Amino acid sequence: MGELVVPIVLGIEPKLFMGHSAVALSDDRILVLKGNSSSDDCTWFLEVDTPFVREQKKNFETEVVAWSKGVIGTAEKPIVISGPSGVGKGTLISTLMKEFPDLFGFSVSHTTRAPRDKEKNGVHYHFTEKGVMEKEIEGGKFLEFASVHGNLYGTSVEAVEVVADAGKRCILDIDVQGARSVKASSLEAIFIFICPPSFEELEKRLCARGTETEVQIQKRLRNARAELEQGNSPGLFDHILVNDDLHTCYESLKKLLCLNEGMDNIQKPSPRLVGLPTDHSVSKIDQKILIDSGGAEVEQASKNLYVLDLSLLKGGAPGRTRGLNMYPINHLANGVNGVKQLS
């Protein structure tokens, strides 16, 4: 560029560290390996010209870079479930969570309103200041947001990633407008719309609850009619389930998510962590990074050679970069052939 520019830095930054190596992967990102760390924290990507960075450059009208933490393994696609008030989606989700508590998790939403009695920060909501949330929205850190009675509510990218980090599949219970925003984001998700057998049946269910006034019911019905029209918009939802009978609809939902009896629903074990010392060296061969984690003795050197496979990368800033695979190789046993097989 011919001039020194200090860019805006977005994404979740790594904590300060000493000792690292860096490899330019392409024109759009740089791989940074932190020394003195385990494989769940040693791999980071500095994005300089990815689609997210280019979009943010337009927003800020200046140079932008973004950090993204590298994660070994993949994560199941999040599930976005939408539907009008009274359709029963809350019951479906709570039943799913109760039957499969180790497989699913909720993303905790952000809000700028004050906490109510017994509400805990980070459990019921992430309570934050309006200015802070507006800045993070501007920085592309939110998948969807809305202003309700002067307060902001929204789902952050980080809230969804935290669920995946715990080895669970994230469920987002959001309205159609929020689903549309998530659809337009970089998040790869499954979009499911729950609808009633008829508008008249929905009206009966809302009236039968007996928890709202007539004015509130009419407002919900107006919103429901609009959501039903939007829910049938082509290209928005991947699947539409009719909740005529709760049990039947729930079984259809389980089948859709491959949760029927006989399916393997056991959570996959986390990958084995590999320690990376401060002193190490790296080399790049195609989509694989050869990591020599040191060892002066020849016998010791054979135990400190690892491969970081980048061929299945997915995601990126402002969330995680997933799909990494790290494994050791026996340098002495494989000799030159061991290095050749990396390509």
Side-chain angles (χ1 to χ4, degrees):
M1 295 173 60
E3 59 178 325
L4 181 65
V5 177
V6 179
I8 293 174
V9 182
L10 301 176
I12 305 298
E13 299 183 34
K15 294 180 180 179
L16 291 176
F17 55 90
M18 294 183 65
H20 72 278
S21 55
V23 181
L25 300 181
S26 59
D27 292 336
D28 63 1
R29 71 184 70 198
I30 300 167
L31 169 67
V32 177
L33 291 170
K34 289 172 55 178
N36 193 28
S37 59
S38 58
S39 59
D40 63 341
D41 188 49
C42 73
T43 311
W44 292 79
F45 295 88
L46 184 60
E47 301 185 12
V48 294
D49 197 35
T50 58
F52 172 76
V53 168
R54 290 198 295 271
E55 181 182 352
Q56 296 307 313
K57 284 181 180 180
K58 294 178 182 177
N59 292 341
F60 290 100
E61 297 182 340
T62 186
E63 288 300 309
V64 173
V65 296
W67 283 103
S68 175
K69 183 179 180 180
V71 178
I72 292 177
T74 58
E76 293 279 0
K77 289 183 179 180
I79 305 161
V80 176
I81 299 182
S82 299
S85 178
V87 78
K89 68 180 185 297
T91 303
L92 290 168
I93 293 172
S94 61
T95 305
L96 191 68
M97 298 281 286
K98 185 176 181 180
E99 185 174 357
F100 304 99
D102 297 328
L103 295 183
F104 298 98
F106 265 125
S107 63
V108 179
S109 299
H110 283 64
T111 183
T112 58
R113 73 162 172 80
R116 295 167 183 159
D117 291 342
K118 297 182 180 180
E119 285 186 333
K120 295 182 179 180
N121 185 42
V123 177
H124 298 92
Y125 282 98
H126 293 295
F127 296 99
T128 185
E129 296 179 2
K130 192 171 185 178
V132 172
M133 188 165 171
E134 288 175 336
K135 185 176 180 180
E136 291 184 343
I137 289 172
E138 185 183 11
K141 294 185 178 182
F142 274 77
L143 293 167
E144 58 88 24
F145 65 93
S147 179
V148 182
H149 305 306
N151 292 307
L152 290 173
Y153 293 80
T155 304
S156 70
V157 175
E158 182 65 13
V160 175
E161 294 285 12
V162 165
V163 176
D165 288 348
K168 296 184 177 183
R169 194 170 188 178
C170 186
I171 296 178
L172 288 79
D173 178 5
I174 53 181
D175 61 19
V176 175
Q177 180 183 348
R180 194 180 296 278
S181 296
V182 175
K183 190 79 172 183
S185 73
S186 59
L187 184 72
E188 293 185 39
I190 295 175
F191 293 79
I192 302 172
F193 186 71
I194 311 296
C195 67
S198 68
F199 188 79
E200 291 72 24
E201 177 62 26
L202 181 65
E203 186 175 8
K204 288 180 182 179
R205 293 178 186 178
L206 284 172
C207 293
R209 293 198 304 195
T211 56
E212 291 131 334
T213 65
E214 180 63 25
V215 173
Q216 291 173 324
I217 290 174
Q218 292 304 315
K219 181 179 179 180
R220 289 185 180 276
L221 286 172
R222 287 194 297 272
N223 292 338
R225 192 180 294 277
E227 286 206 314
L228 287 171
E229 291 176 358
Q230 295 180 57
N232 290 308
S233 301
L236 179 53
F237 290 96
D238 302 309
H239 308 279
I240 296 178
L241 297 179
V242 178
N243 187 10
D244 191 359
D245 175 77
L246 185 63
H247 176 74
T248 303
C249 187
Y250 179 64
E251 290 300 318
S252 297
L253 178 61
K254 288 203 299 181
K255 183 178 180 180
L256 192 64
L257 301 176
C258 300
L259 295 171
N260 291 336
E261 291 184 14
M263 299 296 293
D264 181 13
N265 298 319
I266 300 175
Q267 185 177 340
K268 296 178 182 179
S270 300
R272 184 176 68 87
L273 300 184
V274 179
L276 186 66
T278 301
D279 295 325
H280 63 273
S281 60
V282 299
S283 56
K284 182 176 181 291
I285 304 176
D286 293 333
Q287 294 298 310
K288 295 179 175 65
I289 305 296
L290 184 63
I291 304 172
D292 186 346
S293 59
E297 300 294 332
V298 174
E299 183 177 345
Q300 180 67 23
S302 68
K303 301 178 182 178
N304 292 290
L305 204 59
Y306 297 93
V307 172
L308 180 63
D309 190 341
L310 308 176
S311 59
L312 299 176
L313 291 187
K314 287 186 177 181
R320 310 280 191 267
T321 297
R322 299 185 184 274
L324 281 71
N325 184 21
M326 181 181 284
Y327 54 87
I329 61 172
N330 191 324
H331 177 68
L332 291 182
N334 292 327
V336 177
N337 291 333
V339 177
K340 281 186 176 179
Q341 73 179 19
L342 295 179
S343 59

